[in-house]
Amino acid sequence: MAQALNQALRDAMAADERVHVMGEDVGTLGGVFRITDGLAREFGDTRCTDTPLAEAGILGAAVGMAMYGLRPVVEMQFDAFAYPAFEQLVSHVARMRNRTRGAVPLPVTIRVPYGGGIGGVEHHSDSSEAYYLHTPGLHVVTPATVADAYGLLRAAIASDDPVVFLEPKRLYWSKAEWSAREPEPVPPIGRALVRRAGRSATLVSYGPSVPVCLEAAEAARDEGWDLGVVDLRGLVPFDEETVADAVRATGRAVVVHESSGFGGAGAEIAARITERCFHHLQAPVLRVAGFDIPYPPPMLERHHLPGVDRVLDAVARLQWEEG
Amino acid sequence: MTVLETPAWRPRTDAAPLMPDPEPFRLLGTPEAAGLDPALLRRAYGELVRGRRYNRQATALTRQGRLAVYPSSTGQEACQVAAALALGPRDWLFPSYRDTLAVVARGVDPVEALTLLRGDWHCGYDPKLTRTAPLSTPLSTQLPHAVGLAHAARISGDDVVALAMTGDGGTSEGDFHEALNFAAVWHAPVVFLVQNNGFAISVPLGKQSAAPSLAHKAVGYGMPGRLVDGNDVAAVHRVLTEAVERARGGAGPTLVEAVTYRMDAHTNADDATRYRDEEEVAAWRGHDPVDLLERELAGRGLLDAELRRRAADAAEAFAADLRERMSAPVEPDPAELFAHVYAEPTPQLRRQEAQLRAELAAEREQEHH
């Protein structure tokens, strides 16, 4: 996935000279995860810029650059390092189009490596999506596959609105059949995808939890359950139609994500499923999420992250009718 | 060599060229003022008189309920006018909420400049057409925008300068620091204007900063700091013009501290008598920006009855026009609430817009019966 993201940035920069990449260590080093590897060499340090170490400054400067007609792509080195930029994001980035009656759109892409599972120390494993999705004016996008990493990042950069692009860190090293030479067409932002159709129950997920759900669906076959998996690919806009159709087909749903459950994205998704599918539901919509604790130290994170077993336990609790 | 390629950093042993003068720079009333361009002084005079009238009129509009709130710049008109006059038409202004007069002096329609404070939308003018960013309510958060815009202009090969305004309280914010640091490292063509008006709402400067002056803060970033008498319109104009031209010429950013005083309360919702004494206010009344310029003009025989009357008439006509246009009823379209959130509304927003339309139709229906 890291290579696909790198290729997406390279192709976007080659296609449009207004695209500028900036952030901490993105230049000579190529980013701490090497997502920007080679870009400074290829496009020069004016277009791939090592900035001073200041997240609010990076995002604030990107606002001004976008006002002047550029399309900045900023890297927030780690999930929790993005918090200092939160005021710029909420007070300016998300609102600029609105407050200026559409006169000043802000085509800024904010790349945030997020989530756990890589043994990171404190402040390197947060899932921050709930903070972003509560802010109108932002798009929130997250890929679960290598192909989507490429396509969705191209779509985010092409968007005339600000996009928070959440990159699941633990999928950076995932491999897949994907050719950089023949990238798939750019998918529209806000379109969920049924990764797997099912008849027994529907798992709804996004980002790093999608592979967990696919694995759970595979394991569930031993129990005689045919589980569907919906990959949201992003939370704003939220593709209610695809989710509702998939849930109506099974009558049962489990929402899976790794961030804390209370007030999390899963609460919103479960509520919407209930509103849209109540008469089709055979059981309450369940959530499988991380515990409501600050992200644990690396030696304990496996207890916190929802894994296949926890997903299957939830599926078992969906009050199966005998038949 | 690319724009951003940086030489190896080495400690500068000589900070002297960056240091502000110990006393604020002054022109009016000094021998040097004799060399000032009469046309510039006359123009500044007209703008100051109009600016003073504008502040009075806007304050009156709050009492009539036409404005939700007005942070007056009475006493600070010299800074406001000089900021606008120092910029070329292609340059950008990044104002804070107290800087509506600078926005108006720049040529933005006064009703559009007051839209935020009136409450019918957040920003009433088109920033791209007017080259004026929206008034920023959060403190100093617009300063990094000015840096980014100036940087973008520079790497695009345009000789555009950004001037960003904040107050003494705004210098305590993290964004102030980050903006100055980015600007200095990037050599961005930016001018930072701090209007030190003595108070952040009620908190005096002594509780805000322990620096020798706010202009001294520039030195730590590696840019020059300039200290200027903020009530001396000629001095502020000179210092800002030099800083703008310095930025335009590729020499990087400047921090200007204009020492001035807020004659009115923070806003109409504030009671300034709780935190400052009348003696202090009276002392500043003796250093009024309009009076200072009048004395200069009169001393040089440039202030005749004709100029005085023309300036007063123009200010009165401006105020009358503002009063009349601000009294016209405003009916913002509720459907517009959903129009500018995204380039393409989300399905959720479309449904909510339909819901609001249905509610409005039902309301109208009820009114008919």
Side-chain angles (χ1 to χ4, degrees):
Chain A
M1 181 179 279
Q3 188 212 330
L5 292 166
N6 179 264
Q7 190 65 41
L9 291 172
R10 177 170 284 110
D11 290 352
M13 291 175 86
D16 185 346
E17 63 176 19
R18 296 172 300 170
V19 177
H20 284 243
V21 171
M22 55 200 264
E24 296 154 8
D25 306 293
V26 299
T28 310
L29 180 68
V32 292
F33 292 107
R34 308 290 182 267
I35 307 301
T36 58
D37 195 22
L39 299 180
R41 206 168 48 243
E42 195 171 332
F43 298 99
D45 63 358
T46 305
R47 289 195 58 203
C48 179
T49 305
D50 276 329
T51 63
L53 204 163
E55 290 77 13
I58 295 168
L59 189 52
V63 170
M65 290 165 71
M67 288 175 83
Y68 202 73
L70 302 183
R71 304 182 83 89
V73 181
V74 305
E75 176 172 305
M76 295 283 141
Q77 201 157 64
F78 279 94
D79 32 59
F81 298 0
Y83 300 149
F86 206 66
E87 183 180 14
Q88 283 292 337
L89 191 71
V90 172
S91 293
H92 290 292
V93 174
R95 297 171 197 239
M96 189 65 85
R97 173 187 287 280
N98 189 255
R99 68 208 285 224
T100 63
R101 288 189 149 119
V104 185
L106 283 189
V108 181
T109 303
I110 302 127
R111 294 182 36 243
V112 186
Y114 84 121
I118 64 160
V121 296
E122 194 180 15
H123 299 118
H124 288 70
S125 297
D126 284 18
S127 295
S128 39
E129 64 270 24
Y131 303 127
Y132 303 123
L133 72 88
H134 191 62
T135 302
L138 302 175
H139 289 306
V140 182
V141 169
T142 179
T145 68
V146 175
D148 265 5
Y150 179 89
L152 288 173
L153 185 51
R154 289 298 303 272
I157 296 170
S159 169
D160 284 332
D161 285 319
V163 180
V164 177
F165 190 85
L166 298 166
E167 300 174 3
K169 280 197 290 289
R170 70 178 135 122
L171 300 184
Y172 272 153
W173 301 280
S174 66
K175 306 254 189 291
E177 292 287 318
W178 179 76
S179 166
R181 302 198 190 289
E182 296 167 37
E184 290 172 26
V186 172
I189 286 175
R191 191 74 53 79
L193 203 64
V194 176
R195 292 273 171 212
R196 181 183 168 123
R199 283 171 316 183
S200 310
T202 305
L203 306 178
V204 181
S205 191
Y206 55 87
S209 293
V210 171
V212 175
C213 289
L214 289 169
E215 204 184 319
E218 205 51 43
R221 282 165 52 171
D222 298 341
E223 312 281 334
W225 300 332
D226 179 16
L227 302 183
V229 176
V230 177
D231 175 2
L232 294 175
R233 302 159 110 195
L235 293 157
V236 184
F238 181 64
D239 185 352
E240 287 185 41
E241 299 306 320
T242 301
V243 173
D245 286 349
V247 173
R248 284 191 199 109
T250 62
R252 295 176 170 85
V254 180
V255 186
V256 184
H257 60 64
E258 71 174 58
S259 69
S260 308
F262 192 83
E268 181 64 40
I269 298 164
R272 281 178 192 264
I273 291 173
T274 307
E275 285 172 3
R276 299 289 297 266
C277 311
F278 184 72
H279 294 292
H280 296 80
L281 288 174
Q282 310 291 320
V285 181
L286 295 183
R287 283 173 290 159
V288 175
F291 296 129
D292 297 325
I293 56 173
Y295 198 86
M299 291 175 77
L300 293 171
E301 69 177 343
R302 70 186 176 85
H303 302 294
H304 170 71
L305 292 173
V308 169
D309 288 344
R310 221 172 265 166
V311 175
L312 291 177
D313 284 349
V315 172
R317 280 189 285 126
L318 288 172
Q319 305 162 39
W320 300 96
E321 287 169 43
E322 295 301 320
Chain B
M1 180 160 160
T2 63
V3 172
L4 288 176
E5 203 168 300
T6 41
W9 185 86
R10 54 187 183 282
R12 288 188 186 84
T13 49
D14 185 13
L18 307 180
M19 292 287 275
D21 291 333
E23 284 300 312
F25 176 67
R26 292 195 174 90
L27 269 176
L28 297 180
T30 71
E32 211 189 322
L36 290 168
D37 174 16
L40 174 73
L41 292 182
R42 285 204 193 91
R43 179 161 178 218
Y45 178 69
E47 290 287 344
L48 281 188
V49 170
R50 188 179 71 144
R52 176 63 49 89
R53 187 68 187 87
Y54 167 79
N55 271 319
R56 257 179 42 217
Q57 184 58 61
T59 302
L61 287 167
T62 60
R63 297 201 191 98
Q64 298 157 16
R66 299 290 179 188
L67 280 176
V69 67
Y70 182 69
S72 165
S73 61
T74 299
Q76 303 177 221
E77 289 94 342
C79 297
Q80 300 281 310
V81 164
L85 294 186
L87 291 177
R90 298 187 62 229
D91 296 331
W92 274 73
L93 181 74
F94 285 78
S96 82
Y97 59 86
R98 198 182 294 286
D99 300 322
T100 45
L101 174 54
V103 172
V104 169
R106 186 156 168 72
V108 174
D109 182 290
V111 172
E112 294 181 358
L114 287 171
T115 300
L116 170 83
L117 303 165
R118 180 194 228 182
D120 56 313
W121 203 263
H122 302 308
C123 180
Y125 46 88
D126 180 337
K128 287 189 167 166
L129 283 180
T130 58
R131 300 240 164 184
T132 303
L135 300 162
S136 184
T137 314
L139 293 186
S140 287
T141 52
Q142 84 281 20
L143 305 190
H145 307 171
V147 176
L149 183 130
H151 172 70
R154 177 166 172 255
I155 62 179
S156 304
D158 302 333
D159 64 348
V160 167
V161 174
L163 190 155
M165 304 172 79
T166 192
D168 41 313
T171 65
S172 299
E173 293 281 1
D175 281 81
F176 174 82
H177 158 68
E178 295 192 20
L180 265 69
N181 190 48
F182 267 67
V185 171
W186 281 356
H187 276 292
V190 190
V191 178
F192 300 101
L193 171 59
V194 176
Q195 293 168 81
N196 172 7
N197 68 14
F199 293 90
I201 302 190
S202 68
V203 177
L205 185 61
K207 290 184 179 175
Q208 200 68 241
S209 173
S213 79
L214 299 174
H216 276 83
K217 289 175 183 280
V219 182
Y221 298 103
M223 73 175 78
R226 300 295 312 272
L227 192 59
V228 62
D229 181 341
N231 288 15
D232 178 337
V233 70
V236 185
H237 182 261
R238 166 79 63 85
V239 168
L240 288 179
T241 304
E242 282 172 4
V244 165
E245 290 317 316
R246 191 174 167 275
R248 206 185 304 285
T254 305
L255 171 66
V256 177
E257 176 190 355
V259 183
T260 181
Y261 197 76
R262 193 187 75 207
M263 298 306 291
D264 291 340
H266 167 63
T267 68
N268 48 303
D270 170 37
D271 175 11
T273 61
R274 292 171 74 110
Y275 53 82
R276 66 184 189 189
D277 53 55
E278 185 48 41
E279 275 176 41
E280 182 180 276
V281 181
W284 278 95
R285 208 169 278 130
H287 193 62
D288 181 88
V290 184
D291 295 345
L292 285 180
L293 183 56
E294 278 194 353
R295 254 178 267 153
E296 181 73 38
L297 287 167
R300 287 174 63 180
L302 295 171
L303 185 67
D304 52 21
E306 164 73 5
L307 177 62
R308 215 186 258 277
R309 191 179 47 77
R310 263 210 323 251
D313 286 355
E316 213 44 57
F318 175 87
D321 175 64
L322 180 62
R323 206 165 45 236
E324 189 188 316
R325 289 165 64 210
M326 289 294 285
S327 302
V330 191
E331 286 182 43
D333 176 9
E336 203 184 345
L337 288 172
F338 302 94
H340 316 296
V341 185
Y342 298 99
E344 196 65 38
T346 62
Q348 290 78 25
L349 284 183
R350 285 188 204 285
R351 276 203 297 276
Q352 289 165 21
E353 185 183 355
Q355 178 198 336
L356 181 61
R357 280 189 196 284
E359 286 171 6
L360 292 171
E363 259 176 40
R364 276 194 299 273
E365 187 74 11
Q366 272 195 328
E367 280 163 19
H368 282 303
H369 291 292

